[in-house]
Amino acid sequence: MLTVCINGYGTIGKRVADALMKHPEIRLAGVSKFTPDADARIALSKNIKIFVPNESRDSFVNAGITPSGSIGELLDAAEIIIDASPDKKGAVNKQEVYVPKNRRAIFQGGEKENIAEVSFNARSNFNDAKNKNYVRVVSCNTTGLCRIIKPLTETRSDVEKISVALIRRGADPNDSKGSALNSVEWEANSHHAHDVQTVLGNIPISTTAFKAPQTLMHVHHISVKFKDKSPSKEEVENIFSNEPRVAVLKTAKSTADIIEKARDLGFIRNDLYAANLHANTIASDGNGLSFIITVPQESIVVPENIDAITSMAGLMDQKSSMELTDRVLGIGNIKSRLEAAFG
Ligand code: NAD
């Protein structure tokens, strides 16, 4: 069994922790916790060990929470660290702790690309993380785009231009921060285009990002220009029906509609893991194609973190890893039930 730990037990960290507790080939040594709060108690109730800063140990014990040790001990015990700390803190952790301790680590999309030797998306470049010491799982938006663009460019080699308008969620559902209540912010030539290129190479892409006051999902409108005639609606549906981490939804009309069905179907935390491609938005005309995807920001990178571990450790090949991860998270079941609901 490969031993892994999580440093940063927030939105991403707690989802990856739950997944690793179910993984047959990976042992979760524990998670770091800085505050003796409800999240710490919930972790313990799930048999997830918590490790705390030495100077905070007494405050945990006084709150009735027994840590298993210090964060330093946790990091020493793990063969690979998943760093899911807030944006840019991963870089500090790397410099101050992981490099001096000679630890291997996986970082998240809030870090700059140069934090790692490779930017990672399992469907696109699984093998590039093999034997690497530092890997960055790209952001939720970039993961969603890679899951769409990679299969499209595998099927068609004549893609001339991809333009994307991203409507980003202003905050996660658990955040008290976030975008202004009555305002939509925009940014032309946003960083997302370059971020996709860190995984897929020299793809001709440009992105404009909007930040909207809602929490449920990101929404992308993707336009693709081909050299020759664009694929038909049916051809696009076929390509993505065969993608295990893309759900093709035919009748969904809004992010609220999708999340409500996720709740009705009893998916834990409403987590979908898959990107949704909305078949009722596909427009194919001449050499142009456009459609909308939705990106469940809190969960889409969870399978990618697990595949990044197996790739770095050389535990299994791409197909075996992605299939096992999907089984552990129940992604096949989520995709088929959501597709059936929006049939
Ligand atoms: P979060 O704020 O929900 O959780 C971060 C956790 O890290 C908190 O529990 C915090 O206490 C802990 N922490 C604080 N300082 C730390 C330190 N120095 N070392 C270790 N842990 C520390 O953040 P999040 O939303 O889970 O984001 C984590 C990373 O994942 C970021 O890089 C973010 O850009 C990326 N990401 C987030 C989302 C999303 O939708 N939330 C999606 C994809 C990628």
Side-chain angles (χ1 to χ4, degrees):
M1 291 278 261
L2 186 84
T3 301
V4 167
C5 77
I6 295 176
N7 193 20
Y9 190 64
T11 302
I12 301 301
K14 63 185 171 185
R15 286 171 170 78
V16 177
D18 286 353
L20 291 179
M21 289 297 280
K22 293 188 268 182
H23 199 287
E25 308 275 333
I26 303 171
R27 184 180 80 85
L28 179 67
V31 302
S32 64
K33 270 300 294 170
F34 295 82
T35 330
D37 56 11
D39 283 331
R41 292 194 182 88
I42 292 174
L44 288 180
S45 76
K46 294 178 172 181
N47 292 323
I48 296 171
K49 292 182 178 157
I50 64 166
F51 293 75
V52 306
N54 277 326
E55 62 277 15
S56 308
R57 188 181 165 84
D58 287 350
S59 66
F60 277 81
V61 173
N62 292 340
I65 298 168
T66 310
S68 293
S70 70
I71 293 177
E73 287 167 337
L74 175 67
L75 302 181
D76 286 341
E79 290 162 88
I80 295 177
I81 300 161
I82 305 267
D83 186 295
S85 61
D87 290 1
K88 313 293 178 283
K89 289 232 168 121
V92 179
N93 287 341
K94 180 183 176 191
Q95 197 185 345
E96 293 184 354
V97 190
Y98 308 154
V99 170
K101 278 182 177 284
N102 204 15
R103 312 312 295 161
R104 304 173 78 194
I106 294 169
F107 299 96
Q108 308 304 314
E111 304 301 323
K112 290 191 173 147
E113 67 182 281
N114 64 5
I115 196 169
E117 297 153 276
V118 62
S119 291
F120 181 84
N121 169 254
R123 174 66 176 81
S124 307
N125 65 343
F126 180 90
N127 290 326
D128 291 355
K130 260 189 190 145
N131 303 320
K132 297 288 190 297
N133 290 324
Y134 299 111
V135 170
R136 180 181 73 120
V137 169
V138 288
S139 73
C140 40
N141 280 301
T142 306
T143 299
L145 288 172
C146 289
R147 285 198 196 158
I148 299 296
I149 294 170
K150 180 70 176 172
L152 207 55
T153 53
E154 274 175 1
T155 320
R156 292 284 300 253
S157 57
D158 62 332
V159 171
E160 282 196 329
K161 180 76 198 148
I162 303 173
S163 311
V164 185
L166 302 94
I167 304 169
R168 303 170 61 194
R169 60 91 180 91
D172 282 334
N174 69 338
D175 275 337
S176 51
K177 56 181 191 290
S179 64
L181 184 61
N182 67 342
S183 177
V184 173
E185 299 166 20
W186 52 82
E187 184 193 355
N189 297 318
S190 65
H191 69 278
H192 304 93
H194 175 71
D195 213 34
V196 169
Q197 291 167 335
T198 65
V199 177
L200 293 178
N202 203 17
I203 289 280
I205 181 170
S206 64
T207 51
T208 301
F210 300 84
K211 197 157 119 186
Q214 54 93 21
T215 64
L216 300 178
M217 275 194 264
H218 300 303
V219 180
H220 298 177
H221 183 257
I222 302 180
S223 302
V224 187
K225 191 171 159 226
F226 296 88
K227 192 161 178 282
D228 299 319
K229 191 174 168 354
S230 60
S232 67
K233 180 173 185 296
E234 291 68 34
E235 284 168 330
V236 174
E237 284 184 35
N238 276 341
I239 296 169
F240 291 103
S241 299
N242 294 322
E243 287 296 318
R245 293 184 187 172
V246 178
V248 179
L249 307 185
K250 293 187 173 156
T251 58
K253 291 196 180 72
S254 69
T255 53
D257 198 13
I258 301 163
I259 291 298
E260 181 66 359
K261 300 305 171 287
R263 297 198 309 197
D264 291 343
L265 290 165
F267 300 154
I268 297 168
R269 297 189 179 107
N270 307 332
D271 286 347
L272 302 179
Y273 307 107
N276 305 305
L277 187 145
H278 296 285
N280 49 349
T281 66
I282 299 173
S284 175
D285 185 15
N287 61 357
L289 171 73
S290 64
F291 52 84
I292 288 173
I293 68 165
T294 46
V295 176
Q297 76 277 356
E298 299 160 290
S299 61
I300 193 168
V301 299
V302 174
E304 311 301 324
N305 272 277
I306 297 168
D307 292 327
I309 298 170
T310 59
S311 177
M312 280 171 82
L315 274 187
M316 51 195 107
D317 63 25
Q318 180 183 29
K319 187 168 181 292
S320 317
S321 176
M322 290 181 72
E323 282 177 2
L324 179 56
T325 301
D326 289 355
R327 257 202 322 281
V328 164
L329 290 167
I331 297 178
N333 176 53
I334 290 171
K335 170 179 157 78
S336 61
R337 291 178 71 200
L338 209 58
E339 286 177 345
F342 288 110

